[in-house]
Amino acid sequence: MIASDHLMIAPIVIPFFAGALTLLYDERQRRAKLGIGLASCVALLIVGVELLNRTKGNGAGGGEISFYLLGDWTAPFGIVLTLDRLAATMLLLAALVALPALIYAAAGWHKQGQHFHALFQFLLMGLNGAFLTGDLFNLFVFFEVLLAASYGLVLHGSGPARVRGGLHYIAVNLAASLLFLLGVSLIYGVTGTLNMAHLAKLVPVLPEVDRPLFRLGAGLLGLAFLVKAGVWPLGFWLPSAYMAAAAPVAAVFAMLTKVGVYVILRLSMLTLAQGTAGEMATGIATGGIAPAGTTAQILVAAGMATVVFGVLGVLASQGLGRMTAHLVLVSSGTLVTMTGLALLGGGAAMLGGALYYLVASTIAIAALFLLIEPMSREEGSIAALLALTADAYGIEQPEDDATPEMGLAIPGTLTVLGLVFGACVMVLAGLPPLPGFIGKVAMLRALIGSGAVPAALGWGVVALLLLAGFATLIGLARIGIQTFWASEGAVPKVLALEIAPVIALVLGLGVMTVKGQDTLRFMEDTAQSLLTPSIYADGVLSAPSVEQETPKE
Amino acid sequence: MEIVLSLAIGVLSASGIWLLLRPRTFQVITGLCLLSYAVNLFIFSMGRLTVGAPPIMPKGGWVDPTTYADPLPQALVLTAIVISFATTALFLVVMMASRGMTGTDHVDGREADQ
């Protein structure tokens, strides 16, 4: 194993050490903590780009998958990290969202409580670990790492609203974790393995008597992930928790629901998309609905219900915070629907569009979460708010905290705010030319054109997504009009440190538009390799250990 | 032995779920504790029930694996115990904070009739 192979574990190791290092500094040395955090995020971004380049490989359909055998035991006996295109995309997306959120936090939020930077890094470690792991129980461990950090972060800044929202968030997620454990242990009891690739091999040859138990385990596991993804009717905890969370925390939380979506996508593709898409479609058409069909129908129904619930929430919301939290639901609902449709045989083009939409909507939602505060700020109110939360937390304010508005204020505030807000609206509502539109067009065109999905269902999804986009436009435009056109008060004072991360995120969306074809093609290749799980499964099981590579036998 | 264990898991999870659905935070946390006990026992039982079988095999030579207990669920249950213990402790802190800030131990932070 050459040194550069070890780069694969860097997304877990970097935030782990950075987080541990920030714990050594006193709470007053925030500058040092911030420096460590920023360095870690920048390193993650660079590693993410490098790993993504590595998975591009020869570009012939499958793409390259790399493995990292922890402890040098070959799969399925040891624990394995797996990096394929989907994992690399998610790693890069996590780094892309984390860096602006941390810069935004530097404008003031990181002073509002203890251990912000350590928790932030541990959250990133859990996120990256969950994306990389190829083992169900390790997935549980990384989930718990990220959840434990998120419990701390959701309470960051304290205050009754956060504690109340946090209480529900923690209770629901603890219960979901127990379901996760039940599912994992049932699957182990039936199949005798926890390795995802090994599972993909074993499921098709499972004896008939064991199938009901396995389905029960998979169902419990799915339930746990649907809770994390905030899917209706399991996602009522989400809006209040996300709304109450501090702005930079909420921006990173936009990524957390995507972990649930990612795992559902990964596991359902590995264990269910066994036959070719065509076979499965004929299986459904002839009335003999396979378990894959049932799972797909449940996912489609739950996803569409989530979109409806999210859209109603968007229309009913009065504030931008609640609205954005409901937009998170719309986004994850759309993705869950698309996962279900892909299982029904929607094809790589549709799934590729969905992945493109995943990236675009996550970035836009994160930007919107960061915009809430500057947009709803009246002169001086933020200082009062910060002082209040600091007071509630009972921390002493050192001198540099006395003026939270210190820093460079930007000129033409309303213009800049309006432009970036408009860009976010266009992405989330799916208006051309920004990525939201490209993603939706790719999804919907493939959906109608493929013919694998029943026409009524296909058109139903099309209508729902278009209506959801329209409702999003109405809701966000209303907020925009209130803030930018109908406001009478003084122009809010916005720090450059607060607006720069948002502009960076919007620029990222711009790059996705300009490089639209390349990105979309990459996503379609990703989807193609997801739909042929044998690449992943065979690759993991044949990954050689270092001992085997050195000629000894 | 199977009957005793499954009864224990059943009773623990039934009481856990009932308590989890109650409106007071103390009931919720007790429910979560009971549920996690039930889950831990369940994980343990997934390695099949054996009496007096060691989980670790001696080094070298051929051994009959059927005379040994499955070590993996034992390792898993250890991890699960540690994690659920830690998260429950954290939940307890949030619960106390909620009680202090809102003045009530209702899970919604206010009494139902308010």
Side-chain angles (χ1 to χ4, degrees):
Chain A
M1 183 173 271
I2 48 172
S4 69
D5 287 349
H6 291 291
L7 192 69
M8 243 190 89
I9 202 172
I12 299 173
V13 174
I14 293 172
F16 174 67
F17 280 106
L21 204 58
T22 52
L23 282 177
L24 297 178
Y25 285 92
D26 186 73
E27 203 55 43
R28 266 164 297 181
Q29 292 167 288
R30 263 187 224 99
R31 227 169 265 275
K33 287 181 176 231
L34 181 67
I36 296 169
L38 284 178
S40 153
C41 282
V42 170
L44 281 180
L45 198 59
I46 295 168
V47 171
V49 171
E50 169 60 25
L51 288 179
L52 192 75
N53 272 330
R54 218 175 260 195
T55 57
K56 271 185 188 167
N58 48 20
E64 289 202 353
I65 306 183
S66 347
F67 310 97
Y68 190 84
L69 302 174
L70 296 157
D72 205 30
W73 288 90
T74 47
F77 304 109
I79 295 169
V80 60
L81 297 184
T82 319
L83 178 85
D84 65 344
R85 293 179 177 211
L86 182 62
T89 313
M90 299 302 279
L91 284 178
L92 186 59
L93 181 61
L96 273 178
V97 170
L99 186 60
L102 195 61
I103 295 172
Y104 183 93
W109 270 112
H110 72 137
K111 294 173 188 166
Q112 302 308 316
Q114 288 173 327
H115 300 307
F116 174 81
H117 290 291
L119 288 171
F120 195 88
Q121 294 301 326
F122 290 140
L123 182 77
L124 287 180
M125 173 195 161
L127 266 176
N128 292 343
F131 293 141
L132 278 174
T133 184
D135 174 286
L136 276 184
F137 199 77
N138 254 25
L139 184 66
F140 169 75
V141 174
F142 280 120
F143 248 95
E144 288 304 313
V145 169
L146 88 88
L147 285 176
S150 78
Y151 298 154
L153 282 176
V154 78
L155 298 170
H156 182 75
S158 200
R162 280 192 195 114
V163 170
R164 205 180 303 139
L167 195 73
H168 295 176
Y169 174 73
I170 298 175
V172 169
N173 276 294
L174 283 180
S177 296
L178 294 176
L179 284 179
F180 192 159
L181 272 178
L182 278 180
V184 166
S185 56
L186 253 178
I187 287 179
Y188 177 75
V190 176
T191 63
T193 186
L194 288 169
N195 188 293
M196 294 182 197
H198 201 198
L199 264 182
K201 290 275 171 201
L202 285 179
V203 169
V205 295
L206 215 55
E208 199 56 42
V209 281
D210 286 342
R211 285 192 173 263
L213 263 185
F214 177 79
R215 277 182 209 149
L216 184 63
L220 286 172
L221 211 56
L223 210 56
F225 297 128
L226 288 178
V227 169
K228 318 263 175 190
V231 165
W232 188 88
L234 308 166
F236 296 122
W237 55 273
L238 194 143
S240 56
Y242 278 40
M243 209 178 90
V249 175
V252 193
F253 275 22
M255 205 56 215
L256 291 200
T257 52
K258 301 298 182 293
V259 186
V261 173
Y262 164 83
V263 179
I264 291 171
L265 191 60
R266 166 78 78 214
L267 287 182
S268 60
M269 289 299 156
L270 270 180
T271 54
L272 296 174
Q274 285 300 325
T276 60
E279 273 174 42
M280 214 155 15
T282 49
I284 291 156
T286 51
I289 292 175
T294 321
T295 314
Q297 283 162 351
I298 293 172
L299 285 180
V300 171
M304 286 173 75
T306 314
V307 174
V308 171
F309 178 72
V311 162
L312 291 179
V314 167
L315 287 178
S317 305
Q318 291 302 319
L320 186 55
R322 185 167 283 279
M323 199 174 281
T324 318
H326 282 98
L327 284 172
V328 174
L329 291 181
V330 174
S331 164
S332 73
T334 309
L335 290 166
V336 169
T337 311
M338 287 300 149
T339 311
L341 289 175
L343 282 176
L344 283 177
M350 189 200 69
L351 197 58
L355 292 174
Y356 187 86
Y357 172 81
L358 185 155
V359 175
S361 66
T362 309
I363 293 179
I365 287 171
L368 213 49
F369 269 125
L370 294 182
L371 268 178
I372 293 173
E373 224 178 28
M375 274 181 61
S376 53
R377 175 182 305 168
E378 284 157 34
E379 194 67 56
S381 70
I382 186 68
L385 179 80
L386 291 184
L388 194 77
T389 49
D391 187 46
Y393 206 82
I395 50 169
E396 286 182 28
Q397 293 214 0
E399 270 130 52
D400 67 329
D401 285 9
T403 52
E405 288 210 45
M406 193 177 57
L408 182 67
I410 54 161
T413 312
L414 277 184
T415 320
V416 177
L417 277 181
L419 281 176
V420 286
F421 179 72
C424 291
V425 173
M426 282 164 80
V427 172
L428 290 171
L431 295 181
L434 288 180
F437 172 74
I438 302 175
K440 271 191 183 172
V441 166
M443 280 192 282
L444 299 184
R445 197 179 60 182
L447 184 61
I448 300 166
S450 75
V453 178
L457 180 64
W459 284 107
V461 173
V462 171
L464 183 67
L465 286 191
L466 293 182
L467 276 178
F470 183 58
T472 309
L473 185 65
I474 293 178
L476 287 175
R478 198 177 61 204
I479 298 282
I481 290 170
Q482 280 168 8
T483 314
F484 297 115
W485 292 344
S487 70
E488 289 172 359
V491 175
K493 189 178 168 201
V494 177
L495 306 186
L497 213 49
E498 288 172 330
I499 200 72
V502 188
I503 294 176
L505 284 173
V506 171
L507 283 181
L509 289 172
V511 171
M512 270 187 80
T513 316
V514 177
K515 288 273 177 193
Q517 198 183 6
D518 295 343
T519 323
L520 204 55
R521 197 179 297 137
F522 179 80
M523 296 299 181
E524 273 175 24
D525 289 346
T526 310
Q528 189 59 51
S529 59
L530 275 177
L531 287 171
T532 39
S534 52
I535 301 175
Y536 179 96
D538 293 338
V540 173
L541 293 178
S542 61
S545 68
V546 174
E547 212 171 331
Q548 286 169 354
E549 271 182 345
T550 46
K552 196 174 83 177
E553 326 177 72
Chain B
M1 188 163 61
E2 281 83 359
I3 294 288
V4 175
L5 190 72
S6 34
L7 270 179
I9 295 175
V11 169
L12 277 174
S13 41
S15 358
I17 290 169
W18 189 75
L19 281 171
L20 191 63
L21 300 174
R22 301 294 297 158
R24 305 282 152 200
T25 46
F26 186 72
Q27 291 167 322
V28 171
I29 200 167
T30 318
L32 279 171
C33 281
L34 291 182
L35 263 181
S36 72
Y37 297 155
V39 170
N40 290 339
L41 280 177
F42 184 81
I43 300 175
F44 195 72
S45 70
M46 275 299 126
R48 308 296 186 268
L49 297 177
T50 45
V51 177
I56 299 174
M57 296 182 183
K59 200 173 181 181
W62 188 86
V63 287
D64 181 13
T66 53
T67 58
Y68 290 87
D70 189 348
L72 198 68
Q74 306 193 5
L76 299 189
V77 83
L78 207 61
T79 319
I81 288 172
V82 173
I83 290 178
S84 66
F85 174 73
T87 44
T88 310
L90 194 121
F91 187 58
L92 195 63
V93 175
V94 179
M95 204 183 95
M96 301 282 282
S98 165
R99 173 71 181 81
M101 278 181 190
T102 59
T104 163
D105 64 346
H106 195 278
V107 285
D108 288 335
R110 59 169 194 275
E111 294 298 324
D113 52 0
Q114 272 178 5

